[in-house]
Amino acid sequence: MQRFRRIVAAIALAATATTTVAACGDDDSGDDSGAKTLKLWHYEGENSAMGVGWDRAIEIFKTEHPGVEVRFERKAFEQIQQNAGMIINSSEGPDIMEYNKGNATAGLLSSQGLLTDLSYEAAKRGWADRLSPSLQTTARYSDKGVMGSGNWFGVPNYGEYVTVYYNKDLFDRNGVKVPTTMAELTAAMDTFVGKKITPLGMAGAEYPAGQLFYQLALSKADRQFVDDYQLYKNPVDFRADPLKYGADTFADWVRKGYVAKDSASLKAEDMGTAFIAGKTPMIVSGSWWYGRFKAEMKANWDTFLFPGNTLNAGSSGNIWVVPTNSKAKSLAYDFIDITLRPEIQDLIGNNGGVPVAGDPAKISDPKDRKLIEDFNTVSKQDGLAFYPDWPVPGYYDVLVGGFQGLINGSKSPDQVLDTIAKPYADGVKEITGK
Amino acid sequence: MAVSDTVAATPSAATPTPAPPSRRRPGGRDAAYWLYLLPGAVLFILVIGVPLVGTGYLSLTRWSGVGDPTFVGWDNYQRLLHDEVFWASFRNTVAMIVAMVVVPTLLGLLLASVLFDVIGRRFRPRTAAALRAAFYLPQVLPVVVAGIVWGWILRPDGAFNSLLDAVGLGALRHDWLGDPDTALPAVMAVMIWVQIGYPVVVFMAALQRVDPELYEAAEVDGANWLRRFRAITLPQIRPETFVVALTCTIAALKVFGPIYALTRGGPENATNVPSYFAYYTFFKKLQVGYGSAISTVLTLIIVVVAVVFIGVQARSERRDRGI
C-alpha cells in the first residue's frame, strides 16, 4: 500500500512538474537565512580536479556554517542535461547545482524563470571582477536565454580550452620540433606523413572533427565573427571565410594524410586512447583530457596552443546555478563564493584542472602551470571563442554528420558547408524569431 | 471476443464440478473478469494511455520542454511530410525490417528445422539444445553492450579488418560504420546476428508440438525432407510464424538501442531510424512538439501493422478450422 502511495505520489510529482513549469516566477525574495540544509548536486568525477576542489569547498563550508547539513548528491551529466527542467521545478530539486552552460541549457531555463538572478550577488561579492569578459559570456543570459548579455544566472569557477597535445618522444624520434606557426605545423605533419605516421589523431563520430574545423576557421576570424556566429549579432555566410577556409583546409588535411581517412566512425575515446598508447603524435582537443593523460600516459608529452591562433575554442566550464525554488539561496551564494577562493582555485589547478581565478605561481607542477598560463593567455586576450556546436540546439550532431562526410570523402567542403548552414539558420530563426 | 465466446459457450455439463449457481448473480461472471482486468487496465491507462494522449497533444504544439507549449495545430505533421531526414529514417526502417524480420525468420526456420530434424535425430538432443542456446546468446546480451562490442569489431583498426588482413584480404579493409555506403549493411548484419536466436527458439518449441506421427506417416509415404518441411512443418507452425513476424516487425519499427550504440544515426543519416530521430529531436534539438509528432506517427504505424497482422492471423486460423 505504501508502495502504491509512493507510485501515485511519483506520478503526481511528474505530472505537476510537467504542467506547472510556467507557473514559476523568478521570485527569490523568500527569507531563507535560517536554512539548515544545503542540497548540492554536481556531476564531476570524484578524482577529477573539480571533484577534489569542491570536496574541499564542502569541508570549508561545513566549518564556516556549523549546524548546516550539506546533502551532496553526485549526478550523471546526461541525467542533469535531460531532466534539469523538471527536476529544478519540483520541490525535490537541489538548492545549488552544477549545470551545463549555453543557450539550450542554462539559457533556456533562465528564460523560463527557473533560475535565480545572481547579478546582485555577483556585484556584491566581487565575482564579476574575478572573471574575464569572455568567461562572463556563459554566466549571463538575456531574457530570451541568449548568452553574452543580461543578468547573471550562473557562476563558472573553472575553464576549458582547446589546445594541441603532442607526444614528445615521437617528436624527438622523428626529428620534429614543436611548431609555433601554422607553416611549421604543416611542415611537422609533412615529416610524419613522410614516415608513414598519421600526424593528427581524429574521431569523426564525435566532437573532435568539429573542433578542428573551428580552430582552423578561427585562425582567419575576429571577435566580430564569434559574436555573429555565437550570439547572432549579424547573419553568417557559410560559403565565405572564415568557415570556408576551415572546411577547405580540413578537407586538404584529409587529402594530404594529416588526418586519417578511416577515422569517420571513431569516437573521442578512441582518439584519446590512441594518443595515450603513443600511436598518434598530436591531437587537437580540450583541456578536459589533461588529467587523464597525466594519470595514464607513459610517454613524455606536453601541450602547445594551436599555432597562430588568437581565438581558440574554449569557455568557462559548467556553471553553478541556484534554482528559483531553492530554499537555501544565501547558503548557495556562500558556497559559490568559497569555490572562487584562491585556496580552492589553486587546488583545482594542482589537480590538473584550469581554475578561472588561479595564480600560476601557486601551481607546483611546471606542466600544470603551463596549462593554466596558456588558458590565462587566451582568456586575457579575449580569445575564448566557445564551441562550434553551441549556437543552436542539436547542432552537435549536424556538425558530426557534416564532418564525417569530409573525412570519408563522400562530400566536398562546399557541400558540407551547405549541410551545416541550413540547420544553423533554422535554429537561429527558432531562437531569435528572425 | 474469441476468448469470452469460447468460455461462454462452454457448457457447464462439460465441467465436472461447476461452481454452485447460488454464488452467481446474473452477469456476475463478466463482472469478475473485469475485476481481474482492472489492475492491468489502470496500469495501461497510467503508463501507456496518458502518455499517449499527452504525446498526441504535444504533437500539436511547439514546445522546448519547459514553459508553456504553444498550440500550432497540424504544423508539425506538415513539416514532417517535407522533412527529408524523416523519410530517410523510414527508408532505413525498411532495411531494419529485412534485417530483423525477413532474414531472421527465414534463416531461423531453416536452422530450427535442421537442429530439430537433423542434428536432434542424428546426434544427441543435448547437442541441438547447446546449438540453440548458442544462437540465442545474443538475445540475452544487453543490446547496448552488443552494440559497443560490434562497434569495436567494425572500427577501422578493429577485429574484422584484422581478420581480413589475416586471410589475405587486406585490400578490403574499410571504415565499415564510417562510410555512408557500408554503415547500413553493417548495422543490418549486426541486427541479423542479434535477432536470429529468437525465431530459432520459438520455432524449435513449435516443432516439438507437432505430432511425430505426421512425419512418420509422411516418411512411410516416401516424402523427402523438403517435402515434409513444406507439407507438415510450415503449416503446423504457422501460428508461431505469425507471432515471430509480428513481434520482430514491431521491434524493427521501434529499434533504437543498437543504432544509439553503433552509429547514432550516422554517418549523414545513413542509419537514422524514426525512434532515434524522435529522441534526437526531443532531447538534442529540444523540439518536443515535433519529436512528439514523429513518435505519434511511429505509434500509429505500429498499431496499424499489429492490427493487420492479427487480422490476417485470425483469418488464417478461421480458414484452417474451416469456419
Coordinates of all heavy atoms in Angstrom, one line a residue, chain B residues 66-97:
Chain B
V66 N 10.3 23.2 -21.4 CA 9.9 24.0 -20.3 C 9.1 25.1 -20.7 O 9.1 25.5 -21.9 CB 11.2 24.5 -19.5 CG1 11.9 23.4 -18.8 CG2 12.1 25.2 -20.4
G67 N 8.3 25.7 -19.8 CA 7.4 26.8 -20.1 C 6.1 26.2 -20.7 O 5.8 25.0 -20.7
D68 N 5.4 27.1 -21.3 CA 4.1 26.8 -21.9 C 4.2 26.3 -23.3 O 4.8 27.0 -24.1 CB 3.1 28.0 -21.9 CG 2.5 28.1 -20.5 OD1 2.4 27.1 -19.8 OD2 2.2 29.3 -20.1
P69 N 3.6 25.2 -23.7 CA 3.5 24.8 -25.1 C 2.6 25.8 -25.9 O 1.7 26.2 -25.4 CB 2.9 23.4 -25.1 CG 2.9 22.9 -23.7 CD 2.9 24.2 -22.8
T70 N 3.0 26.0 -27.1 CA 2.2 26.9 -28.0 C 1.5 26.0 -29.0 O 2.1 25.2 -29.7 CB 3.1 27.9 -28.8 OG1 4.0 28.5 -27.9 CG2 2.2 28.9 -29.5
F71 N 0.1 26.1 -29.0 CA -0.7 25.3 -29.9 C -0.4 25.7 -31.4 O -0.6 26.9 -31.7 CB -2.2 25.4 -29.6 CG -3.0 24.4 -30.3 CD1 -3.1 23.1 -29.9 CD2 -3.7 24.8 -31.4 CE1 -3.8 22.1 -30.6 CE2 -4.5 23.9 -32.1 CZ -4.5 22.5 -31.7
V72 N 0.0 24.8 -32.2 CA 0.2 25.1 -33.6 C -0.6 24.3 -34.6 O -0.3 24.3 -35.8 CB 1.7 25.0 -34.0 CG1 2.6 26.0 -33.2 CG2 2.3 23.6 -33.7
G73 N -1.5 23.5 -34.1 CA -2.3 22.7 -35.0 C -1.5 21.6 -35.7 O -0.7 20.9 -35.0
W74 N -1.7 21.4 -37.0 CA -1.1 20.3 -37.7 C 0.3 20.7 -38.3 O 0.8 20.0 -39.1 CB -2.0 19.9 -38.9 CG -3.3 19.4 -38.4 CD1 -4.5 20.0 -38.4 CD2 -3.6 18.1 -37.7 NE1 -5.5 19.3 -37.8 CE2 -4.9 18.1 -37.4 CE3 -2.8 17.0 -37.4 CZ2 -5.5 17.0 -36.7 CZ3 -3.3 15.9 -36.7 CH2 -4.7 15.9 -36.4
D75 N 0.8 21.8 -37.9 CA 2.1 22.3 -38.4 C 3.2 21.3 -38.4 O 3.9 21.1 -39.4 CB 2.6 23.6 -37.7 CG 1.9 24.8 -38.1 OD1 0.9 24.7 -38.9 OD2 2.3 25.9 -37.7
N76 N 3.3 20.6 -37.2 CA 4.4 19.6 -37.1 C 4.2 18.5 -38.1 O 5.2 18.0 -38.6 CB 4.4 19.1 -35.7 CG 5.0 20.1 -34.7 OD1 5.8 20.9 -35.0 ND2 4.4 20.1 -33.5
Y77 N 3.0 18.1 -38.4 CA 2.8 17.0 -39.3 C 3.1 17.5 -40.7 O 3.6 16.7 -41.5 CB 1.3 16.5 -39.2 CG 1.2 15.8 -37.8 CD1 0.7 16.4 -36.7 CD2 1.5 14.4 -37.7 CE1 0.5 15.8 -35.5 CE2 1.4 13.8 -36.5 CZ 0.9 14.5 -35.4 OH 0.7 13.8 -34.2
Q78 N 2.7 18.7 -41.0 CA 3.0 19.2 -42.4 C 4.5 19.3 -42.6 O 5.1 19.0 -43.6 CB 2.4 20.6 -42.5 CG 0.9 20.5 -42.9 CD 0.2 21.8 -42.9 OE1 0.8 22.8 -42.5 NE2 -1.0 21.8 -43.3
R79 N 5.2 19.7 -41.5 CA 6.7 19.8 -41.5 C 7.3 18.4 -41.8 O 8.2 18.2 -42.5 CB 7.2 20.4 -40.2 CG 8.7 20.6 -40.2 CD 9.1 21.3 -38.9 NE 10.4 21.0 -38.6 CZ 11.0 21.2 -37.4 NH1 10.3 21.7 -36.4 NH2 12.2 21.0 -37.2
L80 N 6.7 17.4 -41.1 CA 7.2 16.0 -41.3 C 7.1 15.6 -42.7 O 8.1 14.9 -43.2 CB 6.3 15.1 -40.5 CG 6.7 14.6 -39.1 CD1 5.7 13.6 -38.6 CD2 8.1 14.1 -39.1
L81 N 6.0 15.9 -43.4 CA 5.8 15.5 -44.8 C 7.0 16.0 -45.7 O 7.3 15.3 -46.7 CB 4.5 16.0 -45.3 CG 3.3 15.3 -44.7 CD1 2.0 16.0 -45.3 CD2 3.3 13.8 -45.1
H82 N 7.5 17.1 -45.3 CA 8.6 17.7 -46.1 C 10.0 17.5 -45.6 O 11.0 18.1 -46.0 CB 8.3 19.2 -46.4 CG 7.0 19.4 -47.0 ND1 5.9 19.9 -46.3 CD2 6.6 19.3 -48.3 CE1 4.9 20.0 -47.1 NE2 5.2 19.6 -48.3
D83 N 10.1 16.7 -44.5 CA 11.4 16.5 -43.9 C 12.1 15.3 -44.5 O 11.7 14.2 -44.3 CB 11.2 16.3 -42.4 CG 12.5 16.4 -41.6 OD1 13.5 16.1 -42.2 OD2 12.4 16.7 -40.4
E84 N 13.2 15.6 -45.1 CA 14.0 14.6 -45.8 C 14.5 13.5 -44.8 O 14.5 12.3 -45.1 CB 15.2 15.2 -46.6 CG 14.8 15.8 -47.9 CD 16.0 16.5 -48.4 OE1 17.2 16.1 -48.2 OE2 15.8 17.5 -49.1
V85 N 14.9 14.0 -43.6 CA 15.5 13.1 -42.7 C 14.4 12.1 -42.2 O 14.7 10.9 -42.0 CB 16.1 13.8 -41.4 CG1 16.7 12.9 -40.4 CG2 17.1 14.8 -41.9
F86 N 13.2 12.6 -42.0 CA 12.1 11.7 -41.6 C 11.9 10.6 -42.6 O 11.8 9.4 -42.3 CB 10.8 12.6 -41.5 CG 9.6 11.7 -41.1 CD1 9.4 11.2 -39.9 CD2 8.6 11.6 -42.1 CE1 8.3 10.4 -39.6 CE2 7.5 10.8 -41.8 CZ 7.3 10.3 -40.6
W87 N 11.9 11.0 -43.9 CA 11.6 9.9 -44.9 C 12.8 9.0 -45.0 O 12.7 7.8 -45.2 CB 11.4 10.6 -46.3 CG 10.0 11.3 -46.3 CD1 9.8 12.6 -46.3 CD2 8.7 10.7 -46.2 NE1 8.4 12.9 -46.3 CE2 7.8 11.7 -46.2 CE3 8.3 9.3 -46.1 CZ2 6.4 11.4 -46.1 CZ3 6.9 9.1 -46.0 CH2 6.0 10.1 -46.0
A88 N 14.0 9.6 -44.9 CA 15.2 8.7 -44.9 C 15.2 7.7 -43.7 O 15.5 6.5 -43.9 CB 16.5 9.6 -44.8
S89 N 14.7 8.2 -42.6 CA 14.6 7.3 -41.4 C 13.6 6.1 -41.7 O 13.9 5.0 -41.3 CB 14.3 8.0 -40.2 OG 12.9 8.4 -40.2
F90 N 12.6 6.4 -42.4 CA 11.6 5.3 -42.7 C 12.2 4.4 -43.8 O 11.9 3.2 -43.8 CB 10.3 5.9 -43.1 CG 9.4 6.0 -41.9 CD1 9.2 7.2 -41.3 CD2 8.7 4.9 -41.4 CE1 8.4 7.3 -40.2 CE2 8.0 5.0 -40.3 CZ 7.8 6.2 -39.7
R91 N 13.0 4.9 -44.7 CA 13.6 4.0 -45.7 C 14.5 3.1 -45.0 O 14.6 1.9 -45.3 CB 14.4 4.9 -46.7 CG 13.5 5.4 -47.8 CD 14.3 5.9 -49.0 NE 15.2 7.0 -48.7 CZ 14.9 8.2 -48.7 NH1 13.6 8.6 -48.9 NH2 15.7 9.2 -48.4
N92 N 15.2 3.6 -44.0 CA 16.1 2.8 -43.2 C 15.4 1.7 -42.4 O 15.9 0.6 -42.1 CB 17.0 3.6 -42.3 CG 18.0 4.5 -43.1 OD1 18.3 4.2 -44.2 ND2 18.4 5.5 -42.5
T93 N 14.1 2.1 -42.0 CA 13.3 1.1 -41.3 C 13.0 -0.1 -42.1 O 12.9 -1.2 -41.6 CB 12.0 1.8 -40.8 OG1 12.3 2.9 -39.9 CG2 11.1 0.8 -40.1
V94 N 12.8 0.1 -43.4 CA 12.6 -1.0 -44.3 C 13.8 -1.9 -44.3 O 13.6 -3.2 -44.2 CB 12.3 -0.5 -45.8 CG1 12.2 -1.7 -46.7 CG2 11.0 0.4 -45.8
A95 N 14.9 -1.3 -44.3 CA 16.2 -2.2 -44.2 C 16.2 -2.9 -42.9 O 16.6 -4.1 -42.8 CB 17.4 -1.3 -44.3
M96 N 15.7 -2.2 -41.8 CA 15.7 -2.9 -40.5 C 14.7 -4.1 -40.5 O 14.9 -5.1 -39.8 CB 15.3 -1.9 -39.4 CG 16.4 -0.9 -39.1 SD 17.8 -1.7 -38.3 CE 19.1 -1.3 -39.5
I97 N 13.6 -3.9 -41.2 CA 12.6 -5.0 -41.3 C 13.2 -6.2 -42.0 O 13.1 -7.3 -41.6 CB 11.3 -4.5 -41.9 CG1 10.6 -3.6 -41.0 CG2 10.4 -5.7 -42.3 CD1 9.4 -2.9 -41.6

